[in-house]
Amino acid sequence: MDNIVVGMGEVLWDILPEGKKIGGAPANFAYHISQFGLDSCVVSAVGDDKLGYEILDNFDKKKLNYLIKKVPYPTGTVQVELDKTGIPCYEIKEGVAWDNIPYTSALEELAKKTRAVCFGSLAQRSIVSRETINCFLDVMPDGEGQYKIFDINLRQGFYTKDTLCNSMQRCNVLKINDEELVIVSRIFGYPDIDFQDKCWILLAKYNLKMLILTCGVNGSYVFTPGNISFVETPKVDVADTVGAGDSFTATFITGILKGKDVSEVHKHAVEVSAYVCTQKGAMPELPPYLREQLL
């Protein structure tokens, strides 16, 4: 079986108070996957511009594999403002390169070799990238060891009920946070029931292998058929939370792909995401003690 792990969707510059840093959930995810020794690949698009070339140069220096097309649109940027607790607020520019990811023969070949892919709702705000993501998911093999992770990542109203429903039908792992769960349950018509019941409903309705629910300082849960894993969030000095959720997802899926127990990889994912919160930006290099647990 081929073992490539793909992060698919937006790649961009987060314009932070201290300067710009490469961001975008799929790129963050793929970078952290690569730190654990798996073959990863970022799928996206950049502009034929200075910001686009800087992204590719950065990925080359990180030795991060990518299938990124240059398209006639500007490279994406996001203005990030942090509140007093380090929680980011985003202003995401529209009509940018990652809204226009083309479906190519090279991308189809990659899909055939992919064991796990992580995608979100943001890159599906435009029809071009949405159709490319759907085609990729259709071509990617299905099976017991294959994972299609929908990290829902609701941003600025860039989502519709149809997009969410379609993505949940196509995925077999759903990653969602507590605020997103409230929005999704309201959209789908069951807003007033207990949060665990909401998760059980989604798990059953969409026949998911797993549902990952993160609740910030209130811990995180992993729902699998008949079981719940809960891990408390450790207290750390937060620099910012940008990319912490992506590092959680990457760590968790790496452990699952390596055959480890859900509760074990859940604890390690929490450790990694807590460390990322202590660092500036979305792609810090992990210390050896965190990497070696999954190598």
Side-chain angles (χ1 to χ4, degrees):
M1 181 183 289
D2 291 296
N3 284 306
I4 299 173
V5 182
V6 171
M8 188 170 193
E10 64 274 12
V11 63
L12 47 85
W13 287 103
D14 284 324
I15 311 300
L16 295 154
E18 70 273 15
K20 71 180 193 291
K21 291 185 181 290
I22 288 182
N28 301 338
F29 169 82
Y31 173 68
H32 288 296
I33 287 284
S34 72
Q35 293 201 78
F36 294 118
L38 294 182
D39 290 332
S40 69
C41 184
V42 184
V43 172
S44 191
V46 295
D48 189 9
D49 52 27
K50 184 173 182 289
L51 290 178
Y53 284 100
E54 286 180 349
I55 284 176
L56 301 183
D57 183 57
N58 186 287
F59 288 173
D60 288 337
K61 288 176 179 174
K62 285 183 167 70
K63 298 182 179 177
L64 181 57
N65 296 321
Y66 55 82
L67 187 55
I68 295 177
K69 293 290 288 184
K70 297 187 188 75
V71 295
Y73 298 88
T75 298
T77 58
V78 177
Q79 196 71 38
V80 183
E81 302 289 342
L82 303 177
D83 67 16
K84 292 179 181 179
T85 62
I87 305 297
C89 302
Y90 305 92
E91 182 193 344
I92 304 168
K93 305 301 183 184
E94 298 186 61
V96 294
W98 56 261
D99 286 316
N100 296 278
I101 304 168
Y103 190 69
T104 62
S105 57
L107 189 53
E108 182 163 329
E109 289 306 307
L110 177 64
K112 294 174 184 176
K113 299 174 183 177
T114 295
R115 186 169 178 199
V117 62
C118 187
F119 65 102
S121 62
L122 181 55
Q124 297 187 69
R125 67 182 182 177
S126 72
I127 189 169
V128 175
S129 293
R130 183 167 64 249
E131 289 184 348
T132 294
I133 289 170
N134 286 334
C135 288
F136 188 96
L137 294 171
D138 288 343
V139 171
M140 183 182 155
D142 285 312
E144 184 60 34
Q146 307 288 135
Y147 295 91
K148 299 177 181 180
I149 307 116
F150 181 38
D151 186 351
I152 196 164
N153 249 341
L154 302 182
R155 295 283 186 266
Q156 284 183 216
F158 291 131
Y159 54 87
T160 65
K161 181 178 180 179
D162 286 346
T163 296
L164 299 181
C165 185
N166 177 64
S167 295
M168 287 192 275
Q169 289 171 341
R170 290 171 181 270
C171 77
N172 55 24
V173 177
L174 175 63
K175 163 90 179 315
I176 191 168
N177 67 33
D178 49 351
E179 294 177 353
E180 292 165 342
L181 182 63
V182 171
I183 295 169
V184 167
S185 61
R186 190 182 302 131
I187 290 172
F188 284 87
Y190 37 89
D192 298 323
I193 60 175
D194 174 79
F195 79 93
Q196 290 197 21
D197 289 337
K198 292 173 183 176
C199 292
W200 287 124
I201 288 171
L202 290 171
L203 191 80
K205 181 175 182 180
Y206 294 103
N207 194 29
L208 302 173
K209 292 180 178 179
M210 300 170 205
L211 185 152
I212 301 166
L213 173 68
T214 57
C215 303
V217 297
N218 296 314
S220 58
Y221 300 79
V222 178
F223 294 79
T224 54
N227 291 286
I228 302 178
S229 171
F230 172 75
V231 177
E232 292 184 354
T233 302
K235 290 180 172 62
V236 296
D237 292 326
V238 175
D240 68 53
T241 62
V242 180
D246 306 319
S247 69
F248 181 109
T249 311
T251 307
F252 185 86
I253 290 300
T254 298
I256 294 300
L257 290 174
K258 293 190 175 187
K260 295 184 181 294
D261 179 74
V262 167
S263 60
E264 179 186 353
V265 297
H266 185 187
K267 290 174 185 174
H268 190 42
V270 169
E271 277 188 81
V272 170
S273 62
Y275 173 80
V276 171
C277 286
T278 69
Q279 307 297 302
K280 291 284 189 181
M283 296 188 192
E285 184 176 343
L286 297 177
Y289 77 92
L290 287 176
R291 293 200 311 270
E292 287 166 2
Q293 291 183 53
L294 289 180
L295 291 177

